[in-house]
Amino acid sequence: MRIIPAIDLIDGQCVRLSKGDYNTKKVYNQNPLEVAKAFEAHGIEHLHLVDLDGAKSKHIVNHKVLYDIANQTTLKIDFGGGLKSNEDLRIAFENGAQQITGGSIAVKDAETFTNWLNIYGADKIILGADALDEKVAVSGWQEESKEELLPFIKTYHENGIAYVICTDISKDGMLQGPSFALYEKILKQTPELKLIASGGISKFDELPQLAEMGCEGTIIGKAIYENKISLKQLENYIVSNG
């Protein structure tokens, strides 16, 4: 299972929110590149970079941070937050993203999102399926859609999506453990899916559980910044599972 630390960006700074609420913003570091280099120094190869300004303004904003991290580390970056147009995608890939995550766009403009999948391929386009009470949320989680989570994932999987990042919003940033039951449900329905668990990771012991369950990757955010999981623990996990 891939270990994927998260850096969430507001005003070019490394922040975390609770349950996606912008009013709960906490700045952990004013220099995201420094944070990314610390991840790299501990053997981490992947990074989930989220443009929260972009999610709010509905177009890419923090592409300079993406460029700096992509050019000054070897991290493989998946980038998301506010990607709405072909131009946004072009900017993200030109600035060093290896993959992009589309969430709201996949709900609101399925045609464009499916088009990206056809042009760039399943290795480059990740479906962001973030949900509250198994209903998909959009626009930086500011609104709930009518889409039911499981059929939403299943339909896109049938249309060629390989990677899905699923966040249970009620768990995100709360450090109370991930949504094991939800991930089990998803993997039971679509066992070939490369499911990336996100939200709520609170301690190291949860990682082997997610791996055992069949998650392809897990995104870890606040648990790292609040020192609930150390980079040394993650380094040892990567080495022992390498």
Side-chain angles (χ1 to χ4, degrees), residues 236-242:
N236 292 340
Y237 177 86
I238 291 163
V239 169
S240 64
N241 289 277

Side-chain angles (χ1 to χ4, degrees), residues 21 42 44 95 201 230:
D21 181 354
H42 284 84
I44 286 161
N95 281 278
I201 307 292
S230 72

Side-chain angles (χ1 to χ4, degrees), residues 7 32-42 68-69 72-73 75:
I7 292 179
L33 177 60
E34 193 176 87
V35 178
K37 283 183 170 175
F39 294 156
E40 182 184 38
H42 284 84
D68 289 345
I69 295 174
Q72 294 180 60
T73 73
L75 294 169

Side-chain angles (χ1 to χ4, degrees), residues 33-209:
L33 177 60
E34 193 176 87
V35 178
K37 283 183 170 175
F39 294 156
E40 182 184 38
H42 284 84
I44 286 161
E45 294 177 11
H46 303 274
L47 176 67
H48 179 62
L49 189 62
V50 182
D51 184 355
L52 289 174
D53 294 314
K56 222 174 185 181
S57 54
K58 300 181 172 46
H59 62 85
I60 193 166
V61 174
N62 283 293
H63 48 84
K64 188 185 180 314
V65 178
L66 167 62
Y67 178 84
D68 289 345
I69 295 174
N71 280 276
Q72 294 180 60
T73 73
T74 58
L75 294 169
K76 298 179 186 79
I77 303 168
D78 87 72
F79 185 82
L83 301 173
K84 294 283 179 285
S85 65
N86 296 338
E87 178 66 2
D88 286 333
L89 232 61
R90 183 189 65 75
I91 293 168
F93 285 128
E94 278 184 5
N95 281 278
Q98 299 267 336
Q99 294 178 302
I100 67 93
T101 301
S104 303
I105 183 95
V107 177
K108 294 184 162 187
D109 187 354
E111 192 181 337
T112 296
F113 186 71
T114 305
N115 198 32
W116 293 351
L117 184 59
N118 294 336
I119 293 168
Y120 292 97
D123 284 342
K124 291 277 186 195
I125 306 294
I126 303 171
L127 176 65
D130 303 331
L132 195 56
D133 302 325
E134 293 195 28
K135 284 258 185 5
V136 179
V138 294
S139 304
W141 302 349
Q142 305 301 298
E143 50 179 296
E144 193 184 86
S145 75
K146 291 184 171 59
E147 290 279 353
E148 295 282 346
L149 179 67
L150 272 76
F152 176 72
I153 292 174
K154 198 168 197 280
T155 301
Y156 268 117
H157 185 52
E158 285 164 358
N159 288 329
I161 274 287
Y163 290 91
V164 173
I165 293 173
C166 181
T167 308
D168 181 341
I169 295 166
S170 68
K171 303 276 188 185
D172 190 66
M174 302 311 290
L175 297 173
Q176 291 167 357
S179 223
F180 291 115
L182 179 62
Y183 300 139
E184 210 155 42
K185 218 190 258 190
I186 293 167
L187 286 166
K188 203 170 187 176
Q189 200 173 83
T190 44
E192 322 78 43
L193 196 67
K194 291 173 177 167
L195 181 65
I196 299 162
S198 165
I201 307 292
S202 63
K203 54 180 191 284
F204 179 79
D205 298 352
E206 291 156 358
L207 302 181
Q209 273 181 271

